[in-house]
Every structure is written in C-alpha cells, then in structure tokens.
Amino acid sequence: MATIKDVAEHAGITVTTVSRVLNNRGYISDKTRQKVYQVMKELDYQPNAIARALVQKNTHIIGVIVPALLHPFFSACLNYFEKYASAQHYKLMVCNSLHDVHKEQEYIEMLKSNKVSGMILCTRTGGIDKHLGTLPVVTLERAVSDKIPAILCDNYQGGKMATEELLSKGCLHVAIISGSKHVNLPADDRTRAFIDSCMERGIEPLLYQTEEEQFNDLEYHDLIAQMFREHPELDGIFATSDVIAAQVLQYCLKYGKQVPQQLKLVGFDDVEIAQLTYPTLTTVHQPIDQMCRQAVEILIGKIQGETVPIKTVMPVWLVKRSTT
C-alpha cells in the first residue's frame, strides 16, 4: 500500500509539499498540484481522511443519537438529516440508544473520541448536557439546556388543533393517549393544550399516559383496550403519535367500532403511516423535513463559529383525512 512518502519520492518533491497539497495549505503551483494528483492516481494512494480532518479541525462527521431507530418519526428524521448533511458534504454516524441513559452517555463519549464535528440529539433522557463538553450540539424536539440550540415544533398549538377538531365534530367524551409520565419533553405541551381546550368547553378530559416500555416496543394495544373497557362511551381520541393512532384503528376494526361514525380520531406527526391506515388518519402535520434541515444548518453554523438561535419553533397544521 502506497504511503505519502512514496508519493513524494515519485513526484520528486518533499513529503511536506505533498501534505500541503492534500490539506490545501499554503501556496502550491498548479503544475505541482497536478503532478501530485497524477502520482497519487498512478500509485492508488488513498489519503488518511481522519488525519487530514484532524489537521483541518473538522472531520465533517455529525453524530446523531436517537432513542428508537424503528420508530417512524425517528426513521424520517434520519432520512432528512442525511439529505441535508450530505448537501453540505457531511456524513452521519448514527447511534440507537433504546432510551437507555447509560448507553446515551457511552455513545456521547464514543462520538467525542471519534472527533465528530458536532452532534444532533433526539434523546428522551434528562441530565445529559453535563456530558457534552464544548462539542457543538443541537437537539430536536428536546430541550436539554438553555445554552444548547433546540429545534421544536409548536406542540401546544398542535394539541389545540387536534382537540378543537374533535370538539368541533360534536365529540363529548374525549380522551388523550399521551407520552410517558416519567419523561419530560416538549411534546407534553400537546397534553396541556388538550386539557385547556376541554376545560374551556366544559368537557371533562380523560388522560391516558403511556410507559417507556410501550414506546420502545411500539406496542399500545393493552392500554387502548383498557381505555375502551373503562370508558365505552368514548367518541373522540387524540393520540399524540400516529403510531398510537394506527393501533387505535386496529382495535376499532377488531371490535366493530366504526370510525369516524362512532369514534373520531386525530393523530400527531403525519408520518407515512398516516396515509396507509384505513380509514386514512386525520393528524397534526409536524414539519419534520424543515425541522431536520434547520437542525443541520444550525449545527453546521455552530461548528463554523457562527452565532445561532437557541430556540427555533416550527409551525404545525392539521391535515384532515377520513378519521374525523
């Protein structure tokens, strides 16, 4: 395998000059530059990308930590992260924490030791900011510190839109299936908006919270069955993710509850599954594409030493389909 010394000898120049060509440092004549490239091609020399990156102090690698690769929301996020990072000549290093705080800490240390240029965190655990050091970091749908930029959607407005859609269709017995009570997230504002909207109308809100184990397994059928068992009068449900809403539809199909005639249903996220269910799902559209683009652009801005906004809130809107 050819080395940089071999390239220098064949080109008749010093190793230092070859290094300057590879790292684009200092003045190099076009003749010398082309000669180095020609010799590299002849010898099939592959520069050490990591070594070059360390010299330039930018590996052009972004570490991404997600809590669940199989979850449709985070799968969509990774798709867009890669799209926008690649457009800026960055690569991704993806870590799946499975909502394990110790694993998240291990991944953060691993990413730091691999000299990533920065990190995007979609984690669901608290207290990780003290492990980040000075590395540029951006969070998505998570706020870990008032010093770390966060990209959020307008969760409260989304929750209000979802609830108002149910109430405007005449629902009098409504419930929300929300996130885990053990994890504090910006998405909790969806529940707060649901409660506020119900109370404004004089309607008693029914609250069902999921557990982290259910989030990890994407399995909500037992909770849904419990909800209908305890409240057979339900005529409206706000599910705070499309995955939960899809499983509500499965329950209704299995037990003969007609949607939207007997039960109206609204989800949240507007991931691909929302258009694949039957009936198709009315849901709050979270602009995942734009949120991920913002996350990548703000992170790269931070890497380059720019001043970036600490909090970015993206608007949401209701997509009406066939479940309301």
Side-chain angles (χ1 to χ4, degrees), residues 62-229:
I62 294 174
V64 181
I65 303 180
V66 297
L69 278 173
L70 293 178
H71 195 288
F73 175 80
F74 297 109
S75 296
C77 287
L78 289 173
N79 176 64
Y80 291 120
F81 286 150
E82 196 283 328
K83 173 183 176 181
Y84 293 113
S86 178
Q88 298 291 329
H89 308 293
Y90 280 76
K91 304 297 183 185
L92 298 188
M93 185 178 292
V94 178
C95 304
N96 184 25
S97 72
L98 296 176
H99 191 236
D100 184 326
V101 63
H102 300 297
K103 186 174 287 188
E104 284 180 4
Q105 292 170 7
E106 289 173 357
Y107 277 139
I108 288 170
E109 294 306 317
M110 182 199 78
L111 292 171
K112 286 162 63 178
S113 67
N114 278 275
K115 304 299 182 183
V116 296
S117 300
M119 277 190 275
I120 299 176
L121 302 181
C122 306
T123 57
R124 289 170 60 87
T125 58
I128 60 170
D129 53 308
K130 59 180 177 288
H131 299 282
L132 299 175
T134 59
L135 189 70
V137 175
V138 171
T139 63
L140 186 85
E141 273 299 281
R142 184 78 171 93
V144 300
S145 166
D146 58 6
K147 297 180 180 178
I148 296 176
I151 313 298
L152 313 168
C153 78
D154 194 339
N155 285 286
Y156 187 87
Q157 185 62 27
K160 196 168 185 64
M161 288 175 175
T163 310
E164 291 298 329
E165 173 69 3
L166 295 173
L167 300 181
S168 68
K169 294 298 176 70
C171 296
L172 297 175
H173 306 284
V174 293
I176 185 171
I177 306 177
S178 67
S180 170
K181 57 179 174 283
H182 303 298
V183 183
N184 294 319
L185 294 171
D188 295 341
D189 282 347
R190 304 171 194 178
T191 301
R192 188 164 60 86
F194 172 79
I195 295 171
D196 290 347
S197 296
C198 287
M199 299 302 287
E200 288 169 7
R201 297 284 193 96
I203 292 176
E204 182 68 26
L206 293 173
L207 310 179
Y208 281 83
Q209 290 183 295
T210 59
E211 298 289 342
E212 277 306 291
E213 184 177 342
Q214 293 167 313
F215 172 84
N216 293 335
D217 297 337
L218 299 180
E219 174 54 68
Y220 302 97
H221 289 94
D222 289 345
L223 178 64
I224 293 165
Q226 174 191 343
M227 181 181 63
F228 279 111
R229 189 167 59 248

Side-chain angles (χ1 to χ4, degrees), residues 27-35:
Y27 173 76
I28 300 290
S29 70
D30 290 339
K31 181 179 178 180
T32 299
R33 191 181 302 276
Q34 293 304 317
K35 189 174 185 179

Side-chain angles (χ1 to χ4, degrees), residues 230-270:
E230 294 174 351
H231 296 280
E233 75 281 5
L234 279 176
D235 57 7
I237 294 175
F238 171 27
T240 57
S241 83
D242 291 341
V243 173
I244 299 174
Q247 294 187 24
V248 171
L249 284 174
Q250 289 179 333
Y251 177 93
C252 291
L253 178 64
K254 182 176 181 180
Y255 292 100
K257 187 176 285 289
Q258 294 183 325
V259 179
Q261 293 86 348
Q262 295 175 291
L263 178 79
K264 292 174 172 52
L265 174 66
V266 180
F268 201 108
D269 287 337
D270 198 23

